[in-house]
Amino acid sequence: MKKTLVLFLMFCMFLIPSAAFANSSTDQEPTVKEPTAEEIAQLNEALDKLIIEANKKLEAGETNLFLEEKVGETDGSVSLTFSLNDTKQKAGLQASAVTPKAYRASVGYDGIGFDFHHELGGTFTYENGKIKGATKDVALTGVFYSESHNTWIDYLDPSVWVVNSEGLFKAFKYGVEYKTSLVVGLYGSGDYRILQANVGN
C-alpha cells in the first residue's frame, strides 16, 4: 500500500510542472483582438482630423511631418507621416526645367487590436505646371498578418495625378482581414496632398 501511495505521489509531482509549463506557454502566445465596428469608426474619424491638419501644414510650406492622434476611448493611436524632398538638390544637380521630387506618406495603426503600417512613396517630375512622370512604391508591415496591395496612378489631367494604394492585411490564424487605403495627389506645381487614408474590414 505504501509503495502504491509513493508511486501515485511521484506521478502527481511529475504532472504538475508539465501542466504549469503548458499553461505558461499558452499565456505567452500573442493574440489579435479584433477591433469593434465602433473602434474602427473612431479610428477613421481620427485619421480624417490628421489629414486636415497635415494638409494645412503642407500648404504652409512644411515638408516633413509626423502627426499622431489617440483613437476614441481606446488605448490605441493612429499616425500619419509625410515627407517631400527635392531629389535634384539632394543629388547636387544643376537647376533644370524638369524638377524631380520624392514623396512619401505612411499611416500606422497601433494598439487598437492590430498593429500594422501602410507606406506609399515614389518620385515625380514636373515642368511648367504639368507632371512629366511619376513612380510608386509601397511597403506594408504587420505582425501576425500576411500583406498584399493594389497600387495604381489615375491621370486626371496633365497637372493632377492621383496615386492610389489599397492594402490587404490577413491574419489567417484568427480568421480576420483588414483593408487600408492611402491616396496621394501629385500636382504640377510640385506640391502634393494626402487625399484619403482609412481602414475597414
Side-chain angles (χ1 to χ4, degrees), residues 67-82:
L67 304 172
E68 190 172 29
E69 180 84 11
K70 188 175 182 295
V71 176
E73 299 301 317
T74 72
D75 293 329
S77 64
V78 63
S79 62
L80 283 175
T81 304
F82 307 86

Side-chain angles (χ1 to χ4, degrees), residues 11-107:
F11 179 72
C12 288
M13 290 175 66
F14 173 76
L15 280 182
I16 291 172
S18 300
F21 178 77
N23 287 336
S24 65
S25 297
T26 304
D27 292 341
Q28 291 178 0
E29 184 178 341
T31 59
V32 172
K33 174 187 172 294
E34 187 173 3
T36 64
E38 182 180 0
E39 288 173 338
I40 290 178
Q42 290 174 343
L43 186 153
N44 286 318
E45 286 177 12
L47 267 177
D48 289 342
K49 289 181 184 177
L50 290 182
I51 290 172
I52 292 171
E53 182 182 353
N55 285 331
K56 284 181 179 178
K57 289 180 178 293
L58 290 172
E59 287 173 9
E62 295 188 42
T63 55
N64 291 285
L65 307 174
F66 175 81
L67 304 172
E68 190 172 29
E69 180 84 11
K70 188 175 182 295
V71 176
E73 299 301 317
T74 72
D75 293 329
S77 64
V78 63
S79 62
L80 283 175
T81 304
F82 307 86
S83 64
L84 184 62
N85 299 309
D86 189 331
T87 56
K88 175 190 64 181
Q89 290 180 356
K90 287 181 70 176
L93 302 176
Q94 300 217 349
S96 66
V98 179
T99 306
K101 283 194 174 181
Y103 70 94
R104 189 152 302 277
S106 68
V107 59

Side-chain angles (χ1 to χ4, degrees), residues 148-196:
S148 60
H149 70 89
N150 181 27
T151 303
W152 71 98
I153 299 176
D154 287 329
Y155 309 98
L156 301 188
D157 66 51
S159 63
V160 182
W161 292 13
V162 176
V163 188
N164 306 267
S165 184
E166 295 177 349
L168 180 61
F169 296 80
K170 290 185 177 182
F172 293 109
K173 181 174 180 179
Y174 302 99
V176 296
E177 69 177 42
Y178 300 98
K179 296 176 182 177
T180 58
S181 178
L182 191 53
V183 181
V184 174
L186 307 176
Y187 304 97
S189 60
D191 296 324
Y192 87 115
R193 298 288 182 268
I194 304 305
L195 303 181
Q196 180 180 314

